[in-house]
Protein backbone atom coordinates (compact mmCIF):
# COMPACT_ATOMS: atom_id res chain seq x y z
CA UNK A 1 0.00 0.00 0.00
CA UNK A 2 1.35 3.44 -0.95
CA UNK A 3 2.01 6.13 1.60
CA UNK A 4 0.24 9.46 1.17
CA UNK A 5 3.57 10.97 0.09
CA UNK A 6 3.98 8.28 -2.58
CA UNK A 7 0.41 8.96 -3.79
CA UNK A 8 1.15 12.71 -3.85
CA UNK A 9 4.28 12.29 -5.97
CA UNK A 10 2.48 9.82 -8.27
CA UNK A 11 -0.26 12.37 -8.99
CA UNK A 12 -2.95 10.33 -7.24
CA UNK A 13 -5.55 11.69 -4.84
CA UNK A 14 -3.89 11.99 -1.43
CA UNK A 15 -4.50 13.27 2.09
CA UNK A 16 -2.31 16.31 2.72
CA UNK A 17 -3.21 16.01 6.41
CA UNK A 18 -1.09 12.86 6.63
CA UNK A 19 1.36 12.98 9.56
CA UNK A 20 4.52 12.52 7.43
CA UNK A 21 3.44 15.28 5.04
CA UNK A 22 2.33 17.68 7.78
CA UNK A 23 5.59 17.18 9.67
CA UNK A 24 7.67 18.06 6.58
CA UNK A 25 5.32 20.99 5.81
CA UNK A 26 5.95 22.41 9.31
CA UNK A 27 9.71 21.82 8.97
CA UNK A 28 9.70 23.66 5.61
CA UNK A 29 7.81 26.59 7.16
CA UNK A 30 10.42 26.79 9.94
CA UNK A 31 13.31 26.70 7.44
CA UNK A 32 11.72 29.26 5.08
CA UNK A 33 11.02 31.61 8.00
CA UNK A 34 14.66 31.37 9.07
CA UNK A 35 15.84 31.82 5.47
CA UNK A 36 13.58 34.84 4.94
CA UNK A 37 14.83 36.46 8.18
CA UNK A 38 18.55 35.91 7.51
CA UNK A 39 20.63 38.88 6.39
CA UNK A 40 21.14 38.80 2.61
CA UNK A 41 24.91 39.11 3.07
CA UNK A 42 25.16 36.04 5.36
CA UNK A 43 25.74 33.75 2.39
CA UNK A 44 27.14 30.89 4.46
CA UNK A 45 23.97 30.64 6.58
CA UNK A 46 21.69 31.14 3.56
CA UNK A 47 23.48 28.34 1.74
CA UNK A 48 23.14 25.95 4.69
CA UNK A 49 19.45 26.78 5.04
CA UNK A 50 18.84 26.17 1.32
CA UNK A 51 20.59 22.81 1.60
CA UNK A 52 18.05 21.83 4.28
CA UNK A 53 15.04 23.44 2.61
CA UNK A 54 15.19 22.36 -1.03
CA UNK A 55 15.81 18.99 -2.65
CA UNK A 56 18.91 19.93 -4.66
CA UNK A 57 20.69 22.80 -6.33
CA UNK A 58 23.70 23.46 -8.47
CA UNK A 59 26.40 26.07 -7.97
CA UNK A 60 25.63 29.79 -7.97
CA UNK A 61 21.94 29.64 -7.07
CA UNK A 62 20.56 32.90 -5.69
CA UNK A 63 17.09 33.03 -4.12
CA UNK A 64 16.03 36.46 -2.86
CA UNK A 65 13.91 36.51 0.27
CA UNK A 66 11.13 36.21 0.91
CA UNK A 67 10.71 32.77 -0.66
CA UNK A 68 7.77 30.45 0.07
CA UNK A 69 7.35 26.69 -0.42
CA UNK A 70 5.06 23.85 0.65
CA UNK A 71 7.63 21.12 1.32
CA UNK A 72 10.80 22.45 -0.32
CA UNK A 73 12.32 18.99 -0.73
CA UNK A 74 10.63 18.52 -4.12
CA UNK A 75 12.40 21.53 -5.67
CA UNK A 76 15.47 20.83 -7.81
CA UNK A 77 17.42 23.76 -9.25
CA UNK A 78 20.30 23.70 -11.74
CA UNK A 79 23.41 25.86 -11.65
CA UNK A 80 23.60 29.63 -12.18
CA UNK A 81 19.92 30.23 -11.43
CA UNK A 82 18.48 33.43 -9.99
CA UNK A 83 15.10 33.48 -8.29
CA UNK A 84 13.84 36.92 -7.35
CA UNK A 85 11.85 37.88 -4.23
CA UNK A 86 8.28 36.92 -3.32
CA UNK A 87 8.19 33.66 -5.26
CA UNK A 88 5.80 30.90 -4.18
CA UNK A 89 6.59 27.30 -5.15
CA UNK A 90 3.85 24.84 -4.17
CA UNK A 91 6.05 21.78 -4.54
CA UNK A 92 3.59 18.98 -3.79
CA UNK A 93 5.21 17.30 -6.79
CA UNK A 94 8.61 17.83 -8.41
CA UNK A 95 9.62 21.30 -9.62
CA UNK A 96 12.77 21.36 -11.74
CA UNK A 97 14.48 24.52 -12.96
CA UNK A 98 17.30 24.13 -15.48
CA UNK A 99 20.73 25.74 -15.53
CA UNK A 100 21.08 29.47 -16.34
CA UNK A 101 17.37 30.21 -15.78
CA UNK A 102 15.90 33.30 -14.18
CA UNK A 103 12.65 33.59 -12.24
CA UNK A 104 11.23 37.11 -11.84
CA UNK A 105 9.69 38.54 -8.66
CA UNK A 106 6.33 37.25 -7.52
CA UNK A 107 6.33 34.15 -9.73
CA UNK A 108 4.08 31.33 -8.53
CA UNK A 109 4.70 27.71 -9.53
CA UNK A 110 1.90 25.30 -8.62
CA UNK A 111 2.08 21.51 -8.76
CA UNK A 112 -1.11 20.88 -6.75
CA UNK A 113 -4.75 21.07 -7.80
CA UNK A 114 -8.16 20.06 -6.45
CA UNK A 115 -11.34 18.59 -7.97
CA UNK A 116 -13.54 21.15 -9.71
CA UNK A 117 -16.73 19.59 -8.32
CA UNK A 118 -17.20 20.90 -4.76
CA UNK A 119 -18.67 17.58 -3.59
CA UNK A 120 -15.45 15.81 -4.66
CA UNK A 121 -13.12 18.24 -2.85
CA UNK A 122 -14.16 17.48 0.69
CA UNK A 123 -12.53 14.77 2.79
CA UNK A 124 -14.64 13.13 5.48
CA UNK A 125 -11.63 12.41 7.71
CA UNK A 126 -9.48 15.49 7.12
CA UNK A 127 -9.60 19.26 7.46
CA UNK A 128 -7.96 19.54 4.03
CA UNK A 129 -9.41 19.27 0.55
CA UNK A 130 -8.62 16.23 -1.57
CA UNK A 131 -5.61 17.05 -3.70
CA UNK A 132 -3.74 15.79 -6.73
CA UNK A 133 -0.47 16.91 -8.29
CA UNK A 134 1.51 17.10 -11.51
CA UNK A 135 5.19 18.07 -11.85
CA UNK A 136 6.48 21.30 -13.40
CA UNK A 137 9.65 21.29 -15.51
CA UNK A 138 11.39 24.50 -16.54
CA UNK A 139 14.22 24.01 -19.04
CA UNK A 140 17.66 25.55 -19.28
CA UNK A 141 18.19 29.26 -19.96
CA UNK A 142 14.50 30.07 -19.42
CA UNK A 143 13.30 33.47 -18.25
CA UNK A 144 10.00 33.62 -16.36
CA UNK A 145 8.84 37.23 -16.13
CA UNK A 146 7.62 38.72 -12.85
CA UNK A 147 4.14 37.92 -11.62
CA UNK A 148 3.73 34.87 -13.86
CA UNK A 149 1.87 31.76 -12.73
CA UNK A 150 2.89 28.28 -13.87
CA UNK A 151 0.14 25.66 -13.45
CA UNK A 152 0.53 21.95 -12.59
CA UNK A 153 1.88 19.62 -15.25
CA UNK A 154 3.51 22.32 -17.39
CA UNK A 155 6.86 21.91 -19.15
CA UNK A 156 8.65 24.99 -20.48
CA UNK A 157 11.31 24.26 -23.08
CA UNK A 158 14.94 25.41 -23.10
CA UNK A 159 15.64 29.00 -24.12
CA UNK A 160 12.04 30.19 -23.77
CA UNK A 161 10.88 33.51 -22.30
CA UNK A 162 7.55 33.83 -20.50
CA UNK A 163 6.36 37.45 -20.42
CA UNK A 164 5.57 39.15 -17.13
CA UNK A 165 2.12 38.44 -15.71
CA UNK A 166 1.49 35.40 -17.91
CA UNK A 167 -0.52 32.37 -16.80
CA UNK A 168 1.04 29.23 -18.27
CA UNK A 169 -1.69 26.59 -18.53
CA UNK A 170 -0.02 24.20 -21.00
CA UNK A 171 3.43 23.16 -22.25
CA UNK A 172 5.49 25.81 -24.03
CA UNK A 173 8.10 24.56 -26.53
CA UNK A 174 11.78 25.52 -26.58
CA UNK A 175 13.09 28.83 -27.98
CA UNK A 176 10.01 30.99 -28.09
CA UNK A 177 8.39 33.95 -26.39
CA UNK A 178 5.00 33.32 -24.80
CA UNK A 179 2.80 35.88 -23.04
CA UNK A 180 -0.74 36.38 -21.81
CA UNK A 181 -3.52 34.60 -19.99
CA UNK A 182 -3.44 31.89 -21.05
CA UNK A 183 0.14 32.20 -22.29
CA UNK A 184 0.38 31.86 -26.06
CA UNK A 185 3.40 31.82 -28.33
CA UNK A 186 4.03 35.25 -29.84
CA UNK A 187 7.38 34.56 -31.45
CA UNK A 188 9.64 31.60 -32.22
CA UNK A 189 13.36 32.26 -31.87
CA UNK A 190 15.84 31.10 -34.48
CA UNK A 191 17.80 27.96 -33.51
Amino acid sequence: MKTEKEKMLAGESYDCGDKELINRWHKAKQLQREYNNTSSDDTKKLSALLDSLIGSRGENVWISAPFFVDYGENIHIGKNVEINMNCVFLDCNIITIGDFSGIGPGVHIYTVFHPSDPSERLSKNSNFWKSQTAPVHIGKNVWIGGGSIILPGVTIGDGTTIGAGSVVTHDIPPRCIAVGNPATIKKRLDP
Side-chain angles (χ1 to χ4, degrees), residues 4-191:
E4 295 304 309
K5 182 177 180 178
E6 289 169 335
K7 290 178 191 176
M8 177 181 81
L9 293 172
E12 300 171 8
S13 182
Y14 71 99
D15 177 9
C16 46
D18 173 72
K19 185 174 181 172
E20 176 187 14
L21 293 175
I22 281 290
N23 286 343
R24 176 57 198 186
W25 188 88
H26 286 301
K27 179 69 174 173
K29 297 301 174 242
Q30 173 191 349
L31 289 166
Q32 83 182 12
R33 182 174 50 253
E34 195 171 347
Y35 185 86
N36 291 337
N37 289 321
T38 297
S39 176
S40 60
D41 62 358
D42 192 347
T43 55
K44 187 174 180 180
K45 183 175 181 183
L46 290 170
S47 181
L49 286 165
L50 274 184
D51 287 341
S52 297
L53 179 60
I54 65 174
S56 67
R57 65 187 171 101
E59 297 174 344
N60 302 318
V61 169
W62 181 263
I63 300 177
S64 295
F67 175 61
F68 304 98
V69 302
D70 262 344
Y71 301 102
E73 65 187 1
N74 300 316
I75 300 169
H76 303 279
I77 302 171
K79 64 183 179 184
N80 299 319
V81 171
E82 179 184 355
I83 298 171
N84 213 321
M85 67 186 101
N86 286 317
C87 288
V88 176
F89 291 4
L90 300 186
D91 65 308
C92 301
N93 205 312
I94 302 298
I95 296 173
T96 57
I97 300 171
D99 300 344
F100 305 102
S101 290
I103 309 294
V107 169
H108 290 206
I109 300 175
Y110 305 145
T111 65
V112 64
F113 60 97
H114 310 284
S116 298
D117 183 338
S119 66
E120 294 175 9
R121 282 195 289 259
L122 303 177
S123 295
K124 293 178 184 173
N125 301 321
S126 176
N127 295 330
F128 302 100
W129 282 358
K130 291 179 184 174
S131 300
Q132 286 182 266
T133 68
V136 169
H137 301 288
I138 297 172
K140 294 179 181 178
N141 201 16
V142 170
W143 175 20
I144 308 291
S148 294
I149 299 172
I150 314 298
L151 294 184
V154 165
T155 294
I156 298 173
D158 294 348
T160 285
T161 296
I162 304 296
S166 295
V167 178
V168 185
T169 61
H170 59 278
D171 291 354
I172 304 292
R175 299 202 46 79
C176 65
I177 298 171
V179 299
N181 180 5
T184 56
I185 297 168
K186 298 299 181 186
K187 180 179 181 180
R188 293 191 184 266
L189 303 173
D190 293 330

